[in-house]
Amino acid sequence: MPPYPYGGNHMSTSTLLKMNHITKTFPGVKALDDVSFSVEAGSIHFIVGENGAGKSTLMKVLSGIHAYGSYEGDIEFDGEVRAFHRIDDSEKAGLVIINQELALIPEMTVYENIFLAHEVSTNGVIDWNETIHRSSEELKRVQLNINPGLKVKDLNVGQQQLVEIAKALSKKVKLLILDEPTAALNENDSERLLNLLVELKAQGITCIMISHKLKETIIADRVTVMRDGKTISTLEKDDIDEARIIKDMVGRSINDIYPKRPPYEAGDVVLEVKGLTAFNHRTDKTVAKNVGFQLHRGEVLGLAGLMGAGRSEIALSIFGNPKKYSMELEMTMMGEHVQFKHPSEAIKKGLFYVSEDRKAEGLVLKKDVKENVTLSNLHKISNRFVIDKNAEIRSAKEYVDHMNVKTPSLEQLVYYLSGGNQQKVAISKALFVGPKILILDEPTRGIDVGAKYEIYTLINQLIEEGMSIIMISSELPELLAMSDRLLVVAEGEIKKELHKDEFSPETVMTYATS
Amino acid sequence: MGTLLKDFWYIFRNNIRDYGMYIALAGIFIFFTLMTGGLFVSSRNIFNLIQQTGFIAVGSVGMTLIIVIRHIDLSVGSIAGVVGAMAAVLIVSYGVPAAVALPSVLIFGALAGLLTGYLVAKVGIPAFVASLGGMFVYRGLIFNFLQSTGTLGINDPIIEAIGRGTIPSLATVFGMQLSSLIIGILAIGWLIYSELSNRQKKIAYNFEVLPKNLMIVKLVFMSIIIAVITYVLGSYRGISWVLVIVGIVLFAYHFMTTKTILGRHIFAVGGNPEASELSGISVEKITYFVFSSMGFLSALSGIMYLARLQSATFTAGEGLELQVIAGAFVGGTSAAGGIGKVTGSVIGALVMASLINGMQMLSLGSNIQNIISGVVLVLAVIFDVKTRNMKKTEKKS
Ligand SMILES: Nc1ncnc2c1ncn2[C@@H]1O[C@H](COP(=O)(O)OP(=O)(O)OP(=O)(O)O)[C@@H](O)[C@H]1O
Ligand SMILES: [Mg+2]
């Protein structure tokens, strides 16, 4: 055997990465259970699986975020057995991971971010001109046409994701790992990203990608399915099929992705919004223009539109205006005229908003599951001002069981839960308040098919109990299936109201882009 | 001319945050000059003002980095005090030459800072608590060193020079000190050279540069300012060693923060510690460095204070940490982390010192002085917060 097993010609058939018998335990959780996994050079390899299956953990083990020695098993990369102790070790070897949480510094410019931790320098002194110049080159490679001097906080998520990739490319990457890169992207940006990966593959860059959007596996050469910390199957290009993947993921076949909706009969009007106009001083933009609508008892009202259309802004304006827009609004709830100066007043009246950004806005990550669940309604478990810890545990347990949150204990920090389980905690927190109207902003972002099904079922159940729901989602199929009525939003305005019999993706897109 | 004004306005608007402090400083200068009939900007007073600001400015530079990485250091004043006492005891009681004693106490300061850094980064206790503990311990140590005497006078040429001396004048030309004149001219030359060479490099890369006429206006304006300062200082006692020390510290830290990897990593850690860690930066190491640098500068500040008084006392450096923190905040450092400039903090320290100096000249009581200082501090931070999120306007062509 030649000392270097893969020369240029046989790229497609040589193995770049082999992970052998990896086992990783956290207190109370066996996140990886004897996992073996290999990736061919020059391929795009997908990893899919339910929330908490261990996908991110496997990649963190691979990239040295979980240091060598904290797991069992060994890793062969690029022909050598590796022991990565820190993330910079793996980067030196040509392996770059883009985490589920973006690793960009918002206050810094694009070029500073691209070369962060591997600056263009001589003797520790940075050459800024060269940095900017090379950043522009990398930005061209990812086809992002922006000024590298912009601050990252002024970019949208799609652009930030591309900056992350430019950052990876600038490190001379051989194996690029992307953990749910498209979770927060809209259709256009996602497609752009997938095309980019295909292009990078042509340039010889191998890629591991984790995603819950199964239709993206169309670009995959191989798909590995994980469940409960084990690899279940690896499908070759010709065998890749969504139904098969789902079956391996959840261990049974799911025939309907959406549970049956009970037929909807119009109830009383529970919420009426009139003449909502809101202006955001921070961005100098009008985020809502003369918005008006009604919501009925037992109804799911969908807000459709492109990212940035103003759907979340409309929701926030109604929910006590936490972002302090200047605004005009006339609102009645349950026939009573209301004017919320703060979210707390809205919550008191029975209106609750579950944020699209569960990590930054929805949850207190450094607190445990039970404290998060009870946070918005501590009165329910208190005698006057004193919290009854036992009551807290009892109530939290009830909700955690009901929502089927996978957590080793109620005392687990939410930080350590997988994405889908964090989302369930965020919804539990909302339900704990006992709202009459619930606004769900992107409730299924980044969560697996099984958990999505559970959330859909939950929505149906809540509706039947007489709750009303406003649902915001960028996944059109889900919105069409779950809503009783749709409002199409673009540029902060309601462009069209659609009833169930008028629903079609084409109609929605026509108005959303008008 | 029309486009010149327009360009100017565009640049001004987009950098108002950076210029705000300079405008405030100019405002304070104009106000007190008018109120004191010109006495405020007399060569003598400007010289004194620099002597009064020096030891605070040095501390503010270190505190900027501490605040940038989202911490605080309350032990600055006590370290300054204990370092002064140690230096005095070494020199006076043990006859150690200042050239040996001073570097030793500077190292002591850096180690003291490193200890705080260790408690914060490794042991994981809040910086507020770790440094509060240090504040008591070092204050107590001062009593140990000075024992019964209470104060310890010191008579040493090096200490004398640091506290009151100026650089050698060489000769007097046109009623001005030659050395100051030379430094002034060199500074202007360097300013013009670095601006031009920078511009050249940017053009080579095809980057945007200031319009030519605007650059000339900027250079002329800055040259005039340097010339005026040179004149004011040169016609009195010249450039003091205090100014030289502040200049070196400021230059070194400005260079470090804007041009080096280390500086970049400090700001990254401040901006987003989790992301930095994931980018391969060791938050722990950065924390060690920033706290030792603070300890070192506290010690330097302590030496400058000792030299200013020519004696070590129990109360030396009391409350210094708060003046230093005020300087950093007035200078635009953000408590949210990741934002701050060492130049800003030095200007911030100067703003606070000018206020006090001016009010003293007007013989205002210390009650009024405190109230006004407090109000200015808060106003400065309000200005900062309000302008931070102001949207940058696009250039209209
Ligand atoms: N640092 C940690 N401490 C404790 N438990 C952890 C930690 N990181 C992950 N876990 C647990 O390990 C399991 C696997 O988590 P992992 O994040 O790998 O899931 P995932 O497949 O990436 O899920 P998702 O699709 O939701 O991102 C989960 O049960 C999770 O709660
Ligand atoms: Mg994950």
Side-chain angles (χ1 to χ4, degrees):
Chain A
M1 205 171 124
Y4 198 67
Y6 17 90
N9 303 344
H10 307 289
M11 283 299 273
S12 57
T13 53
S14 62
T15 307
L16 178 66
L17 170 73
K18 263 178 117 160
M19 300 180 76
N20 302 319
H21 305 289
I22 307 285
T23 297
K24 167 87 193 167
T25 20
F26 295 111
V29 201
K30 196 170 212 178
L32 296 174
D33 186 3
D34 194 27
V35 173
S36 294
F37 173 69
S38 71
V39 175
E40 300 298 301
S43 69
I44 296 180
H45 197 132
F46 269 63
I47 303 180
V48 299
E50 288 185 283
N51 295 120
K55 306 177 296 289
S56 299
T57 306
L58 186 67
M59 292 303 108
K60 286 180 181 169
V61 163
L62 172 56
S63 57
I65 296 175
H66 294 315
Y68 176 76
S70 73
Y71 56 87
E72 290 157 41
D74 57 47
I75 298 172
E76 259 174 77
F77 176 68
D78 209 6
E80 281 174 49
V81 176
R82 308 282 182 159
F84 299 134
H85 292 277
R86 281 182 59 86
I87 196 163
D88 14 348
D89 295 342
S90 62
E91 284 183 357
K92 266 181 222 126
L95 196 154
V96 179
I97 181 165
I98 298 178
N99 279 285
Q100 227 162 337
E101 306 79 27
L102 291 185
L104 297 173
I105 316 286
E107 278 294 340
M108 285 190 172
T109 61
V110 169
Y111 65 80
E112 284 173 307
N113 268 290
I114 290 181
F115 283 94
L116 185 65
H118 65 122
E119 287 78 1
V120 188
S121 62
T122 35
N123 302 326
V125 179
I126 299 174
D127 183 344
W128 284 124
N129 288 323
E130 187 64 22
T131 304
I132 298 173
H133 173 70
R134 283 208 220 158
S135 302
S136 314
E137 299 292 303
E138 298 299 355
L139 289 175
K140 260 182 227 150
R141 267 178 93 187
V142 299
Q143 294 148 19
L144 182 57
N145 184 19
I146 54 165
N147 179 349
L150 284 176
K151 283 194 176 171
V152 162
K153 66 170 181 187
D154 294 327
L155 306 182
N156 65 37
V157 235
Q159 292 170 322
Q160 292 186 3
Q161 194 64 257
L162 291 174
V163 170
E164 276 271 24
I165 295 180
K167 181 174 165 186
L169 293 181
S170 73
K171 293 175 185 164
K172 311 274 172 291
V173 55
K174 286 183 202 146
L175 175 61
L176 182 62
I177 303 166
L178 299 136
D179 196 348
E180 294 192 38
T182 58
L185 302 190
N186 63 29
E187 302 264 330
N188 278 341
D189 286 346
S190 300
E191 207 172 300
R192 208 166 143 196
L193 188 101
L194 296 180
N195 287 334
L196 179 64
L197 295 185
V198 173
E199 202 159 299
L200 292 177
K201 174 181 149 183
Q203 297 174 21
I205 294 174
T206 311
C207 178
I208 297 178
M209 168 143 168
I210 298 176
S211 180
H212 287 294
K213 298 184 181 169
L214 299 182
K215 63 173 188 290
E216 294 173 356
T217 54
I218 189 155
I219 65 161
D221 296 306
R222 274 186 171 179
V223 177
T224 294
V225 180
M226 289 186 72
R227 192 197 325 149
D228 296 333
K230 300 190 184 73
T231 44
I232 299 299
S233 60
T234 293
L235 307 178
E236 297 292 337
K237 187 156 188 78
D238 297 334
D239 306 333
I240 296 172
D241 160 55
E242 278 192 41
R244 169 78 200 278
I245 293 173
I246 293 174
K247 183 163 163 282
D248 288 348
M249 271 174 73
V250 298
R252 62 189 155 89
S253 341
I254 293 186
N255 298 323
D256 298 312
I257 307 178
Y258 304 103
K260 286 257 168 324
R261 296 293 326 266
Y264 162 68
E265 298 150 32
D268 308 333
V269 174
V270 289
L271 175 76
E272 177 159 23
V273 172
K274 265 195 225 156
L276 164 65
T277 297
F279 181 80
N280 185 348
H281 287 283
R282 294 216 168 170
T283 56
D284 229 352
K285 256 172 69 182
T286 303
V287 290
K289 253 183 278 175
N290 200 16
V291 169
F293 61 86
Q294 292 183 335
L295 176 70
H296 303 88
R297 190 179 149 84
E299 179 184 40
V300 178
L301 176 64
L303 294 190
L306 302 178
M307 220 158 269
R311 294 165 302 169
S312 302
E313 286 81 354
I314 292 173
L316 286 167
S317 307
I318 300 168
F319 183 61
N321 193 18
K323 300 266 160 104
K324 304 271 181 279
Y325 307 135
S326 327
M327 59 174 217
E328 281 165 43
L329 163 66
E330 215 178 292
M331 192 161 127
T332 35
M333 231 178 108
M334 322 285 163
E336 185 190 341
H337 192 83
V338 288
Q339 210 178 1
F340 302 135
K341 286 193 210 66
H342 190 266
S344 59
E345 297 179 13
I347 293 171
K348 242 180 240 151
K349 287 279 179 199
L351 173 66
F352 203 93
Y353 168 79
V354 181
S355 169
E356 60 183 321
D357 187 349
R358 56 181 168 253
K359 293 202 162 122
E361 297 177 349
L363 297 166
V364 185
L365 294 180
K366 300 277 161 87
K367 287 277 169 200
D368 64 21
V369 171
K370 66 173 171 4
E371 287 183 51
N372 269 284
V373 171
T374 55
L375 184 65
S376 287
N377 194 9
L378 288 171
H379 286 294
K380 194 163 157 186
I381 50 160
S382 309
N383 301 317
R384 288 173 188 274
F385 300 109
V386 186
I387 294 175
D388 179 346
K389 291 281 165 64
N390 294 323
E392 173 164 48
I393 292 171
R394 227 178 306 122
S395 326
K397 181 155 176 21
E398 181 189 321
Y399 280 82
V400 164
D401 289 347
H402 181 67
M403 294 289 297
N404 199 10
V405 180
K406 275 186 214 142
T407 172
S409 77
L410 291 174
E411 280 75 35
Q412 179 78 324
L413 297 192
V414 169
Y415 183 83
Y416 296 123
L417 296 188
S418 71
N421 285 306
Q422 288 180 345
Q423 184 65 13
K424 287 185 195 167
V425 173
I427 296 181
S428 306
K429 175 181 156 191
L431 297 182
F432 189 70
V433 174
K436 301 187 185 79
I437 301 173
L438 189 59
I439 307 176
L440 298 173
D441 198 349
E442 306 283 1
T444 64
R445 175 180 287 172
I447 74 176
D448 68 64
V449 262
K452 273 183 188 165
Y453 189 86
E454 289 178 43
I455 288 181
Y456 300 144
T457 315
L458 178 81
I459 289 176
N460 287 348
Q461 189 186 331
L462 293 174
I463 291 301
E464 248 173 286
E465 289 165 12
M467 203 185 282
S468 309
I469 291 178
I470 298 177
M471 178 166 172
I472 301 174
S473 171
S474 295
E475 271 186 57
L476 200 45
E478 129 185 325
L479 204 56
L480 293 175
M482 294 303 299
S483 310
D484 298 308
R485 196 157 54 93
L486 265 185
L487 302 175
V488 187
V489 182
E491 292 159 338
E493 280 179 86
I494 295 181
K495 297 285 183 185
K496 182 73 184 168
E497 176 181 342
L498 294 173
H499 290 273
K500 195 102 196 174
D501 49 355
E502 305 165 290
F503 282 9
S504 85
E506 294 75 27
T507 336
V508 173
M509 286 319 284
T510 317
Y511 288 104
T513 52
S514 67
Chain B
M1 208 59 202
T3 61
L4 180 64
L5 270 180
K6 222 192 267 164
D7 284 345
F8 179 75
W9 177 241
Y10 162 75
I11 287 165
F12 178 77
R13 225 199 94 95
N14 281 346
N15 294 289
I16 188 155
R17 235 169 80 71
D18 296 337
Y19 297 151
M21 229 159 14
Y22 294 93
I23 295 169
L25 187 64
I28 289 170
F29 266 62
I30 293 169
F31 177 79
F32 284 121
T33 305
L34 293 177
M35 296 300 287
T36 58
L39 226 53
F40 184 78
V41 287
S42 66
S43 292
R44 202 180 119 85
N45 192 52
I46 295 295
F47 184 86
N48 285 339
L49 182 59
I50 290 173
Q51 302 302 93
Q52 286 163 11
T53 313
F55 68 99
I56 302 173
V58 165
S60 289
V61 167
M63 190 60 77
T64 309
L65 301 189
I66 295 273
I67 297 174
V68 160
I69 63 165
R70 309 182 183 198
H71 290 306
I72 198 78
D73 189 343
L74 299 178
S75 63
V76 171
S78 294
I79 292 184
V82 79
V83 156
M86 281 166 76
V89 168
L90 282 175
I91 294 169
V92 175
S93 313
Y94 293 90
V96 178
V100 177
L102 298 185
S104 318
V105 295
L106 284 174
I107 291 173
F108 170 82
L111 291 177
L114 189 64
L115 176 63
T116 318
Y118 174 81
L119 292 174
V120 173
K122 196 85 184 180
V123 183
I125 64 175
F128 194 99
V129 178
S131 63
L132 186 63
M135 174 173 151
F136 289 127
V137 170
Y138 300 124
R139 181 65 50 200
L141 281 180
I142 301 179
F143 286 78
N144 275 3
F145 283 118
L146 297 183
Q147 280 162 1
S148 53
T149 46
T151 57
L152 184 57
I154 184 168
N155 194 351
D156 180 278
I158 295 185
I159 297 285
E160 167 88 27
I162 295 175
R164 303 181 176 163
T166 56
I167 61 174
S169 88
L170 302 179
T172 311
V173 280
F174 313 121
M176 278 178 66
Q177 310 231 340
L178 181 61
S179 57
S180 306
L181 197 61
I182 293 176
I183 291 179
I185 291 172
L186 285 179
I188 292 177
W190 185 77
L191 172 78
I192 293 175
Y193 168 78
S194 64
E195 179 81 24
L196 288 180
S197 83
N198 232 329
R199 189 183 170 85
Q200 229 40 56
K201 279 186 209 148
K202 286 204 162 140
I203 289 174
Y205 275 102
N206 268 325
F207 293 158
E208 197 187 343
V209 290
L210 271 187
K212 199 168 209 145
N213 42 11
L214 204 58
M215 179 195 68
I216 293 172
V217 171
K218 176 182 161 191
L219 282 179
V220 168
F221 181 72
M222 293 192 46
S223 303
I224 290 176
I225 288 186
I226 295 177
V228 168
I229 294 173
T230 307
Y231 172 75
V232 168
L233 293 175
S235 58
Y236 180 57
R237 291 187 49 205
I239 293 174
S240 64
W241 286 110
V242 168
L243 185 55
V244 172
I245 294 174
V246 174
I248 292 174
V249 168
L250 180 58
F251 180 82
Y253 273 78
H254 179 67
F255 182 81
M256 192 260 286
T257 50
T258 55
K259 297 252 161 51
T260 68
I261 293 181
L262 179 61
R264 212 73 317 252
H265 289 187
I266 292 171
F267 279 77
V269 165
N272 188 343
E274 289 85 16
S276 303
E277 196 69 35
L278 288 179
S279 301
I281 298 168
S282 164
V283 174
E284 201 178 300
K285 280 187 199 147
I286 294 293
T287 310
Y288 286 151
F289 172 80
V290 170
F291 273 94
S292 336
S293 121
M294 181 76 261
F296 176 84
L297 292 176
S298 308
L300 183 59
S301 176
I303 291 173
M304 292 166 82
Y305 192 77
L306 170 74
R308 208 172 125 68
L309 296 189
Q310 300 283 313
S311 69
T313 66
F314 283 157
T315 54
E318 251 177 14
L320 175 62
E321 57 280 340
L322 301 180
Q323 286 172 294
V324 159
I325 292 170
F329 277 123
V330 171
T333 312
S334 158
I339 302 173
K341 283 188 177 161
V342 291
T343 42
S345 299
V346 168
I347 299 294
L350 187 58
V351 164
M352 297 307 277
S354 318
L355 266 181
I356 302 278
N357 177 296
M359 289 189 289
Q360 276 166 353
M361 287 186 99
L362 296 179
S363 320
L364 296 180
S366 58
N367 53 341
I368 303 281
Q369 289 183 26
N370 276 324
I371 292 171
I372 295 201
S373 301
V375 170
V376 168
L377 170 64
V378 173
L379 282 181
V381 177
I382 290 176
F383 173 82
D384 201 55
V385 170
K386 287 288 167 205
T387 49
R388 173 157 312 141
N389 291 317
M390 216 162 78
K391 201 169 176 274
K392 296 214 167 185
T393 51
E394 284 299 320
K395 187 167 185 174
K396 307 235 164 47
S397 47

